[in-house]
Amino acid sequence: MLTHQVIKSIVTNVIKGQDYRNEIVDRINAVFLDFAISFFKEVVTAKLSSKDISEDWYRKTFLSEDLDKEKIVIHSGLNMKTVTNMYNSGTKSVCIDAANTHYEGLSSLINTLIEEDPEINLSLTIKFREVSVELNLNESLIVINTLAVKRSAIRGGFWSSAGKQAEKILMKTLCGLYQVPSQYFCQLDNPDSNREVDFFLTTKTGARLRCEVKLMGKGNPESADAIFARESHIFIGDKLSDKVKQQCKELGVKWVELRNENGVGFQDFGTILQDYQIPYTPFNKDLDTELSRILKEISI
């Protein structure tokens, strides 16, 4: 989960036509580096505790059934989403079986690669409190793979969280800038949708308009898919490709590109409110001041 301050910073940057991604990338880096340091400490302890040279100390320690299922899965080189997709279950017993099966396959693959190219030589030395351990090629690749999988999981979690948390605040903020009365916009839990929240604007005549918000770049096709899947009337995005804009035009969907070439894409939201005859007040105030005021009032 992202902090309230990070979410507010993301919304502020997007509405001002600035890139928001550094906020998330910084958090990803911080969490990953914290994990990496802790993981290296655990590797040192596990390696030193192994008295039998033939013992698979990594498997014994990091795939132990005493650990949480999420840790077991990550340590094996998988992530929870992959396990649930493969086995249609995320119970601990399933996770343990999946982790062990994958670990065996990964270890076998590494051994095969080493045998096929014996000239490859890599060792990883980890030093902690004047004590150091050296990992051979096999062990090093296992550890490196775990780090790669963990970073991927952290990255996916943060980007998903950014969408779920920031998009609803963004919509509230846009409505706040144009002082749209609360009875003319709402968020509803929709059991027919895969998303937690759908946004609706209501016209003076009572027509309800579905709004789709996506904080995604030009190259992500999911943005366009959302228009088709949910029959949106209004589409709001960070950056929109020419293809998405053309699809919006063909479908009769009005769109707002917040980070457009002019840097004031949010103003197109006011035009849409006017076109649909949704009550609003034209925006002519200082943007920074209003953003700060509105975001203080919105609970996250």
Side-chain angles (χ1 to χ4, degrees):
M1 295 288 286
L2 298 174
T3 65
H4 292 185
Q5 190 56 46
V6 170
I7 293 298
K8 290 180 178 180
S9 179
I10 289 172
V11 171
T12 297
N13 286 337
V14 171
I15 290 180
K16 292 174 67 175
Q18 300 170 355
D19 187 69
Y20 67 91
R21 290 166 178 80
N22 280 341
E23 297 281 353
I24 301 174
V25 171
D26 287 345
R27 290 296 300 149
I28 291 172
N29 288 337
V31 173
F32 171 71
L33 291 175
D34 183 66
F35 169 83
I37 291 172
S38 297
F39 182 56
F40 282 141
K41 291 178 181 178
E42 293 174 3
V43 167
V44 170
T45 301
K47 177 78 171 180
L48 290 175
S49 299
S50 177
K51 296 181 174 55
D52 184 351
I53 193 171
S54 64
E55 178 184 57
D56 187 344
W57 58 268
Y58 184 92
R59 184 172 194 163
K60 178 182 177 181
T61 302
F62 293 101
L63 270 65
S64 168
E65 295 184 10
D66 295 332
L67 298 176
D68 294 337
K69 62 181 182 180
E70 289 82 3
K71 288 186 176 181
I72 297 173
V73 168
I74 287 291
H75 292 159
S76 75
L78 288 171
N79 59 57
M80 284 298 299
K81 186 174 182 180
T82 299
V83 171
T84 55
N85 286 340
M86 290 173 64
Y87 298 93
N88 293 320
S89 175
T91 63
K92 186 168 184 176
S93 61
V94 167
C95 289
I96 291 172
D97 289 342
N100 279 284
T101 298
H102 184 266
Y103 179 77
E104 289 173 3
L106 179 62
S107 297
S108 177
L109 176 60
I110 290 175
N111 288 331
T112 299
L113 292 175
I114 293 173
E115 291 172 1
E116 291 179 350
D117 197 346
E119 294 183 357
I120 296 177
N121 187 21
L122 169 69
S123 63
L124 181 63
T125 300
I126 307 173
K127 187 175 182 180
F128 175 60
R129 290 180 180 174
E130 304 305 320
V131 176
S132 65
V133 298
E134 184 171 306
L135 308 184
N136 60 31
L137 177 56
N138 189 310
E139 295 166 339
S140 297
L141 291 177
I142 291 290
V143 167
I144 291 170
N145 185 66
T146 296
L147 291 173
V149 171
K150 181 63 177 181
R151 181 174 177 83
S152 177
I154 292 171
R155 182 181 181 277
F158 269 108
W159 286 114
S160 176
S161 179
K164 291 178 180 178
Q165 292 180 262
E167 288 166 6
K168 61 182 178 180
I169 303 304
L170 173 61
M171 191 66 185
K172 283 184 176 181
T173 304
L174 286 172
C175 288
L177 289 175
Y178 285 93
Q179 300 178 48
V180 178
S182 59
Q183 65 267 33
Y184 289 96
F185 75 92
C186 65
Q187 304 166 232
L188 296 176
D189 290 325
N190 186 347
D192 296 326
S193 172
N194 290 325
R195 285 181 49 132
E196 288 183 9
V197 178
D198 286 312
F199 304 99
F200 296 91
L201 290 172
T202 305
T203 68
K204 291 180 180 178
T205 60
R208 205 164 67 158
L209 309 174
R210 186 189 297 274
C211 305
E212 188 68 34
V213 183
K214 285 287 183 183
L215 293 184
M216 293 185 172
K218 286 185 177 183
N220 198 309
E222 186 183 340
S223 297
D225 292 342
I227 305 174
F228 292 105
R230 289 183 272 272
E231 299 180 347
S232 305
H233 298 88
I234 300 169
F235 189 70
I236 299 172
D238 171 41
K239 291 288 288 183
L240 305 181
S241 67
D242 291 338
K243 181 179 179 180
V244 170
K245 293 175 185 177
Q246 182 60 36
Q247 288 174 320
C248 285
K249 183 178 179 180
E250 293 172 356
L251 294 168
V253 176
K254 294 185 181 296
W255 51 268
V256 175
E257 183 179 33
L258 292 166
R259 192 153 59 100
N260 64 12
E261 295 178 356
N262 299 322
V264 287
F266 80 95
Q267 293 180 354
D268 290 335
F269 185 67
T271 302
I272 289 175
L273 294 173
Q274 183 179 38
D275 291 344
Y276 277 121
Q277 296 187 343
I278 298 168
Y280 78 104
T281 300
F283 183 79
N284 54 12
K285 300 179 181 180
D286 179 73
L287 182 57
D288 287 323
T289 301
E290 286 303 293
L291 284 174
S292 179
R293 178 187 64 79
I294 293 169
L295 288 170
K296 281 182 181 179
E297 296 174 354
I298 294 178
S299 60
I300 299 178

